[in-house]
Amino acid sequence: MTPESGEPLLACRNVFKYFGALAAVNDFDLDVHTGDVVGIGGPNGAGKTTFLDVISGINAATSGEIRLEGRDISRVRPDLICHRGMARTFQLNAGFDSLSIRENVLIGSAFGLGDRGVPAVTYSRAMRERVDRALELCRLTDRAHATARDVPVLERKLLMLASAVATDPKLLLIDEPVGGLNPHEVDDVMEIVEGLVAEGMTIILIEHVMRFLLQLSRRVVIMHHGEKIYEGDTQGLLSDRRVVEVYLGAGTADRLQHMLAERAAPNG
Amino acid sequence: MKYRDLIIFAILLAIAIAFPWMGVKRYLIASALIMFCYATVVSQWNLVFGIAGIFSLAQVAIFAFGAYTTAVLGRYMDLTLWYAFPIAGLAGMVFSFFVGLACLRMRGIYVALLTLAISQVMFVLIQTDSACSPLNQRDNPATCVSFTGGAQGLGGFGSFGWRDVLGGRNWILGDYYTMLALLVVALIFTAAVTQSRIGLAFKALRDNEELARSRGVSVFKYQLIVFAASAFLTAMAGGFYAAHFGAVGSNLVAFPLLLFLISMLVVGGIGKAWGPLLGAFLLMAADEVFKEFSDWRNIGLGMIVLVFMIFLPEGVAGAIEAVSKRATRLWTALRRRSSA
Ligand SMILES: Nc1ncnc2c1ncn2[C@@H]1O[C@H](COP(=O)(O)OP(=O)(O)OP(=O)(O)O)[C@@H](O)[C@H]1O
Ligand SMILES: [Mg+2]
């Protein structure tokens, strides 16, 4: 299903990130190929967000190698990493508060693909089309004129996602897209992300809501104390002793087993 | 909304053009033209501070830089001031570009401190410049002034030249309309930049720098652009100011002027399109009314800034916006009720 052959889109080797003596990311390796949807889970403070910060250039790695399409990006500025095709969302609902939803998305579209030389004054047709497309994919078209500051939490999360999608990323990083949402809203976001997957987008997804993570991911990575303690498919995850011990707990693992079984046989 | 702004602009412009012919006293014409000058500076400051969200206090230093460049070019190179103005504008851009470069790795209050320090250095350099300049050797050695004129200030560099065209009584009209033209250009320029793609990058960096960078907006590029772009008309305004008064002095970089202009920005409404104009008008008017209490001027200005920061952080423009929004809502509600 996924083209496992050839050079990975993203290749991380021996990545470390220290805060003082704390190894928030500890000797982490990860390969992501075009078309992958990789889920990252793990307890609070495991280092998931820090890992995203490191690969997206917000917070440079202490050491290690990070390659996007074979080119080293471990010391590249976040705006240039965005131009090279990696876009992310933030765990805390970041937005351009004084601007409309449309303008928020327009920023991703107008600057996210490259911005060399003297900046033009107006927007190209392609830019506006990317905005329309991103708004549509994230179901924000009807809300485009609302001011970011005033919109409810679900829409804030979606507008952040839409502004990332508008950069037309080769790799999309999503940090806890459903944290703080009610179950109904979780389903809405799930459908939207499924839509992005259907578009063929390559995604790294962080989430605590396991049904969300398991349903969308084709491969799951579990982090603990900055290290990778599991990498593999969703079935194996629920029977992995260490993962059940440090993260899921036996009850949750059982419940998720049932959920997956039901999903595998939807008419049963 | 944009349409409404255009109408307001047209009305205000018509009033400003007619103003000198409405039988007003001459000193009011002089005050109005100073107000235009300050409003120009504040509108450019608004671009840096209000639109791009950079807490720079360098605008007054750029203004003074433009004034001194004009004075020096006029005095020592015998340049007609009409040629000196654009050169001063470009020199101001270069100056501001380097200030922006120096501030690149700083954020928030540190930018304010550094830019304030730059103004202070300029002030001290001018104040202590007392050695007779070789360029002024033609003067009698006892009265020979330094290159910048030092604490006494510098004159003798010419004017707009309207006296020759309009005569001894009406030259002030020439100064008035020249200054008005500069303000009109400044307001159109600011509005255009604010609405443009470059303006969108400024606002993105202002609202959330980390997110903006993650969406491909370069801090480096847009910070330098805003520093350079906001400096041209500011330095030109400095040149016009010098041309109107026929003299420049270190008071142009001194603290009271900085305080006066920042009060305009705060009172008018930081980041608001009409803020600089409103602020300049209100503070010039207040200054006129409270002339007798001039000893208390700086304290009063400080209090005004404080009160607005706490109770009306969006300034008068923000308050008007809020009231008109509420009025529109009330109006639509009433109409709906009457039609039902
Ligand atoms: N800027 C920072 N300075 C110091 N320590 C930090 C910093 N950012 C994160 N940490 C620490 O690094 C560790 C990893 O944090 P991180 O936010 O990456 O965890 P996470 O897996 O995203 O957790 P959560 O699920 O709660 O979002 C935590 O112990 C955190 O306290
Ligand atoms: Mg996190």
Side-chain angles (χ1 to χ4, degrees):
Chain A
M1 197 161 66
T2 50
E4 288 296 329
S5 59
E7 183 147 38
L9 178 61
L10 177 76
C12 306
R13 293 282 172 281
N14 312 108
V15 175
F16 286 85
K17 177 67 193 182
Y18 282 95
F19 293 115
L22 173 80
V25 176
N26 194 348
D27 202 8
F28 201 79
D29 291 352
L30 186 70
D31 276 358
V32 179
H33 289 85
T34 299
D36 270 358
V37 180
V38 179
I40 302 182
N44 291 112
K48 306 180 294 292
T49 298
T50 305
F51 176 63
L52 284 206
D53 288 350
V54 163
I55 59 177
S56 62
I58 294 284
N59 216 334
T62 309
S63 67
E65 198 182 288
I66 304 161
R67 292 183 178 281
L68 186 67
E69 294 185 307
R71 290 158 80 196
D72 183 40
I73 55 163
S74 59
R75 289 286 175 277
V76 177
R77 287 191 338 236
D79 46 318
L80 300 177
I81 288 182
C82 178
H83 295 168
R84 290 196 191 175
M86 190 194 295
R88 66 170 295 178
T89 68
F90 289 84
Q91 181 170 356
L92 299 170
N93 299 328
F96 303 112
D97 281 356
S98 69
L99 306 181
S100 71
I101 289 183
R102 192 182 174 83
E103 285 170 311
N104 266 266
V105 180
L106 187 56
I107 288 166
S109 171
F111 303 102
L113 278 88
D115 182 35
R116 294 249 205 95
V118 181
V121 169
T122 55
Y123 307 97
S124 69
R125 187 198 179 92
M127 281 173 192
R128 282 190 301 251
E129 280 170 0
R130 275 199 300 278
V131 173
D132 293 337
R133 184 93 189 102
L135 287 173
E136 195 184 312
L137 282 169
C138 298
R139 301 187 185 168
L140 286 169
T141 308
D142 297 337
R143 298 285 290 152
H145 295 291
T147 305
R149 184 188 292 123
D150 304 331
V151 305
V153 58
L154 173 64
E155 286 174 5
R156 275 193 76 91
K157 286 182 177 289
L158 292 179
L159 83 86
M160 182 166 52
L161 185 61
S163 77
V165 168
T167 69
D168 207 1
K170 293 173 185 139
L171 176 61
L172 178 63
L173 317 174
I174 312 179
D175 197 353
E176 298 207 18
V178 300
L181 300 182
N182 68 39
H184 187 72
E185 293 169 331
V186 171
D187 290 337
D188 287 349
V189 177
M190 188 128 61
E191 280 175 27
I192 287 168
V193 178
E194 268 167 355
L196 298 179
V197 173
E199 290 277 301
M201 225 168 264
T202 309
I203 296 175
I204 297 180
L205 180 73
I206 294 177
E207 190 45 72
H208 279 292
V209 176
M210 286 309 279
R211 69 176 176 100
F212 188 91
L213 193 73
L214 295 187
Q215 178 158 341
L216 290 167
S217 312
R218 304 198 180 141
R219 177 155 53 104
V220 178
V221 171
I222 302 295
M223 278 181 95
H224 184 48
H225 292 320
E227 291 177 62
K228 187 197 289 180
I229 61 166
Y230 177 84
E231 176 167 8
D233 64 13
T234 48
Q235 274 301 329
L237 174 83
L238 298 175
S239 49
D240 187 275
R241 260 194 43 220
R242 183 114 192 263
V243 171
V244 173
E245 203 171 282
V246 304
Y247 186 43
L248 294 177
T252 309
D254 267 358
R255 194 171 51 74
L256 291 167
Q257 284 282 15
H258 280 117
M259 186 196 83
L260 285 184
E262 265 169 40
R263 205 149 275 160
N267 306 321
Chain B
M1 179 182 159
K2 268 195 205 158
Y3 194 61
R4 186 199 65 187
D5 287 334
L6 271 177
I7 293 174
I8 296 175
F9 183 74
I11 293 172
L12 290 179
L13 184 59
I15 293 174
I17 290 172
F19 182 72
W21 309 98
M22 303 200 290
V24 293
K25 293 210 179 71
R26 196 178 164 84
Y27 84 95
L28 271 181
I29 298 178
S31 294
L33 83 88
I34 299 307
M35 184 198 103
F36 298 159
C37 182
Y38 289 159
T40 302
V41 177
V42 177
S43 73
Q44 302 309 294
W45 201 345
N46 196 33
L47 214 49
V48 183
F49 200 106
I51 305 300
I54 301 168
F55 295 140
S56 166
L57 302 178
Q59 226 60 30
V60 178
I62 299 162
F63 175 70
F65 192 85
Y68 270 93
T69 307
T70 304
V72 163
L73 289 173
R75 183 179 169 103
Y76 301 124
M77 309 191 65
D78 282 327
L79 213 59
T80 309
L81 292 193
W82 289 103
Y83 293 118
F85 298 137
I87 298 176
L90 290 174
M93 279 176 93
V94 173
F95 173 69
S96 183
F97 178 89
F98 283 107
V99 174
L101 206 58
C103 293
L104 210 51
R105 294 199 164 272
M106 297 176 191
R107 296 292 174 269
I109 190 71
Y110 295 100
V111 175
L113 288 174
L114 179 72
T115 48
L116 187 62
I118 290 171
S119 309
Q120 281 304 301
V121 168
M122 270 179 78
F123 180 73
V124 172
L125 283 178
I126 294 169
Q127 279 279 317
T128 55
D129 179 22
S130 57
C132 172
S133 163
L135 289 166
N136 291 322
Q137 284 298 356
R138 57 184 176 186
D139 298 6
N140 148 5
T143 60
C144 172
V145 296
S146 61
F147 181 69
T148 64
Q152 299 144 264
L154 193 68
F157 50 79
S159 68
F160 286 119
W162 292 119
R163 212 178 279 271
D164 306 334
V165 184
L166 302 170
R169 266 193 60 78
N170 285 334
W171 65 269
I172 197 155
L173 292 178
D175 286 21
Y176 178 91
Y177 288 114
T178 312
M179 214 63 106
L180 178 60
L182 182 71
L183 174 60
V184 167
V185 170
L187 291 177
I188 293 172
F189 173 74
T190 324
V193 170
T194 307
Q195 301 295 323
S196 75
R197 197 156 122 195
I198 301 171
L200 189 67
F202 294 163
K203 292 180 216 165
L205 289 169
R206 169 193 69 189
D207 278 12
N208 189 332
E209 185 180 312
E210 187 173 72
L211 180 61
R213 298 177 74 200
S214 295
R215 293 293 173 267
V217 181
S218 161
V219 179
F220 181 80
K221 179 169 172 176
Y222 289 98
Q223 179 153 335
L224 294 182
I225 288 179
V226 77
F227 267 89
S230 65
F232 185 77
L233 291 168
T234 305
M236 286 269 280
F240 280 26
Y241 188 94
H244 173 66
F245 285 106
V248 292
S250 56
N251 62 318
L252 290 176
V253 244
F255 193 66
L257 182 62
L258 180 82
L259 190 60
F260 194 43
L261 295 187
I262 207 165
S263 308
M264 293 177 178
L265 191 56
V266 171
V267 168
I270 299 168
K272 304 286 175 195
W274 293 106
L277 204 57
L278 265 171
F281 176 76
L282 289 172
L283 273 141
M284 286 297 285
D287 217 29
E288 202 59 48
V289 173
F290 296 111
K291 236 195 235 147
E292 289 117 82
F293 310 103
S294 59
D295 292 350
W296 296 86
R297 186 169 181 260
N298 287 341
I299 296 173
L301 288 174
M303 294 297 287
I304 288 175
V305 171
L306 213 70
V307 167
F308 268 82
M309 283 295 207
I310 295 169
F311 297 107
L312 264 183
E314 306 241 284
V316 176
I320 292 175
E321 242 170 54
V323 168
S324 84
K325 213 178 270 179
R326 210 167 297 169
T328 322
R329 216 173 297 152
L330 196 69
W331 173 242
T332 40
L334 281 176
R335 265 215 321 218
R336 203 168 298 150
R337 189 172 303 169
S338 67
S339 67

